[in-house]
Amino acid sequence: MGAPEAAVLIRQHLIDPEVCIRCNTCEDTCPIDAITHDDRNYVVDPDICNGCGACVPPCPTGSIDNWRTVPKQAAYSVVEQFGWDELPAQQEIAGDAAPVVAEPATDDGLQHNAALSASSTRAPWSAAHPYLNLHDNRKPVTATVAGNYRLTDTDADSDIRHIVLDFGTEFFPVLEGQSIGILPPGTDASGKPHFLRMYSVASPRDGERPGYNNLALTVKRVVADHEGKPALGVASNYLCDLQKGDRVQVTGPFGSHYLMPNHPGSNLLMICTGTGAAPMRAMTEYRRRLAAGGKPVDGKLMLFFGARRPGELPYFGPLLKLPASFIDMHLAFSRVDGEPKTYVQDKLREAGPAVAELLKGDTFLYVCGLKGMEAGVMDALRDVCIAAGMDWPALHARMVAEGRFHVETY
Ligand SMILES: Cc1cc2nc3c(=O)[nH]c(=O)nc-3n(C[C@H](O)[C@H](O)[C@H](O)COP(=O)(O)OP(=O)(O)OC[C@H]3O[C@@H](n4cnc5c(N)ncnc54)[C@H](O)[C@@H]3O)c2cc1C
Ligand code: SF4
Ligand code: SF4
């Protein structure tokens, strides 16, 4: 006879709210939708989670790897977890309790489930080794604003800014593709300190200005929510209003797999919209500096970049100065008067044969931008491959497994 329900113990999977950076990676990874979030916390639903562990390796902070042994009947509910500022301690369990019934999966389980993810959870084999989590919420590093420039036209709908942060003598190394956390000052409606927001690094590893201990961000001022209703984003407005000399609390660096390959001959296929340009600018500029310094960089660069209008496309001017021999560029505009709406997926289809050719080679693919772009891009890649007689599901799976297929949307 089994143990009475009240005495059954489970290993409950929990997320540490003090360390979690709200990057959404785990929610994207979980194959059975056991992870959810509200405005503040990412939480695991004890009624759904089967302890498979697929979400553990991709988590950039380790905050997801927390487990408490609890009576099944008294598992912490999703609503309870939403209210947490810190994890509860492990409670003492009575000695005659029944054995634990759910454990994290074996290594086999991990590998099996990780393969279901649409995006690589491992870095390219030749990527440089990233520094991770040098500073968390409890020990942020202070950076000084070295510059804050508007990138979009003055009459453009969106205000996107190029913000340069200087770290002085602090050790804060970043790689292209990594993100940092920004802690906005002040408290939210419930009186709690604002949680951090993530921003992709837009400059190469040797600094926005080569040889300087600084980095750049590409930040869009949020003035409406995803449904278009007026909403003043806390962190983006704080960042966009910063003046030269202001001091900012920073955490990170974060991101162990959305990194660029280092070996000569590797191709980069970059697909982005809006501020998703940040990691692409970092990677492109790193390759440009290598080439300018006479280093061997014979891999191809291909960029698909979408915005509403040219005046709203960050780095439009500098991009146009890059020669076609260095980068094959395809810009898509969705709101130009008198022209049909064009999105990155349309441009991918238009350039189909060249995209397919690149995908056959030693190519590393990067997607970045708002969440809504993902489905269209995936469909276009599938269509391009089918038209070229390629087996897209097999190629996609191989690229994911080999650390060559990276998606970061927010
Ligand atoms: C890994 C990662 C990298 C990121 N990189 C960048 C980057 O390089 N540049 C950048 O600008 N942002 C980036 N973001 C998004 C950023 O972290 C913030 O979510 C964004 O700036 C909004 O924060 P906020 O505090 O201003 O808005 P909040 O106060 O958090 O939200 C205000 C309202 O706006 C909605 N909202 C949130 N984000 C957006 C958005 N982007 N567009 C429209 N509505 C939104 C919210 O749902 C909410 O209703 C990244 C996010 C992640 C997870
Ligand atoms: S352990 Fe598995 S089921 Fe549970 S939240 Fe993580 S990925 Fe989902
Ligand atoms: S930091 Fe880890 S636990 Fe938090 S949202 Fe990202 S992946 Fe999930």
Side-chain angles (χ1 to χ4, degrees), residues 13 15 26 29-35 43-45 48-56 64 67 104-105 110 113:
H13 185 193
I15 294 174
C26 53
T29 308
C30 177
I32 55 170
D33 295 335
I35 298 179
V43 303
V44 185
D45 188 334
I48 303 178
C49 175
N50 61 15
C52 73
C55 56
V56 175
I64 197 138
W67 309 81
L110 277 177
N113 283 292

Side-chain angles (χ1 to χ4, degrees), residues 15 19-27 42 58-61 63-64:
I15 294 174
V19 183
C20 171
I21 56 174
R22 285 89 184 159
C23 67
N24 206 56
T25 306
C26 53
E27 200 171 311
Y42 274 74
C59 171
T61 60
S63 48
I64 197 138

Side-chain angles (χ1 to χ4, degrees), residues 96-234:
D96 58 352
V100 170
V101 296
E103 291 283 1
T106 61
D107 281 352
D108 278 344
L110 277 177
Q111 281 153 14
H112 172 71
N113 283 292
L116 296 174
S117 161
S119 179
S120 294
T121 52
R122 68 166 55 167
W125 67 266
S126 61
H129 185 72
Y131 282 89
L132 296 169
N133 308 323
L134 294 176
H135 295 270
D136 64 16
N137 302 4
R138 290 165 289 206
K139 196 170 59 77
V141 59
T142 303
T144 306
V145 178
N148 181 349
Y149 316 95
R150 185 167 165 133
L151 291 167
T152 41
D153 283 355
T154 41
D155 60 347
D157 291 344
S158 58
D159 180 9
I160 300 182
R161 293 183 168 261
H162 183 70
I163 299 169
V164 181
L165 299 179
D166 192 281
F167 289 82
T169 55
E170 296 283 353
F171 181 65
F172 197 76
V174 291
L175 290 173
E176 308 78 13
Q178 284 195 290
S179 303
I180 64 167
I182 296 288
L183 291 172
T187 51
D188 65 17
S190 60
K192 295 172 182 170
H194 287 300
F195 61 81
L196 66 74
R197 268 62 162 193
M198 300 273 281
Y199 293 91
S200 308
V201 173
S203 47
R205 63 192 76 181
D206 56 340
E208 170 63 8
R209 184 166 171 189
Y212 279 65
N213 190 17
N214 60 15
L215 59 78
L217 304 177
T218 314
V219 181
K220 179 183 166 190
R221 186 189 292 277
V222 170
V223 291
D225 66 15
H226 291 294
E227 282 78 48
K229 287 199 248 69
L232 276 191
V234 172

Side-chain angles (χ1 to χ4, degrees), residues 365-382:
L365 183 146
Y366 301 86
V367 178
C368 191
L370 287 183
K371 254 202 182 332
M373 73 182 291
E374 255 180 67
V377 166
M378 294 302 285
D379 286 351
L381 289 170
R382 181 202 58 210

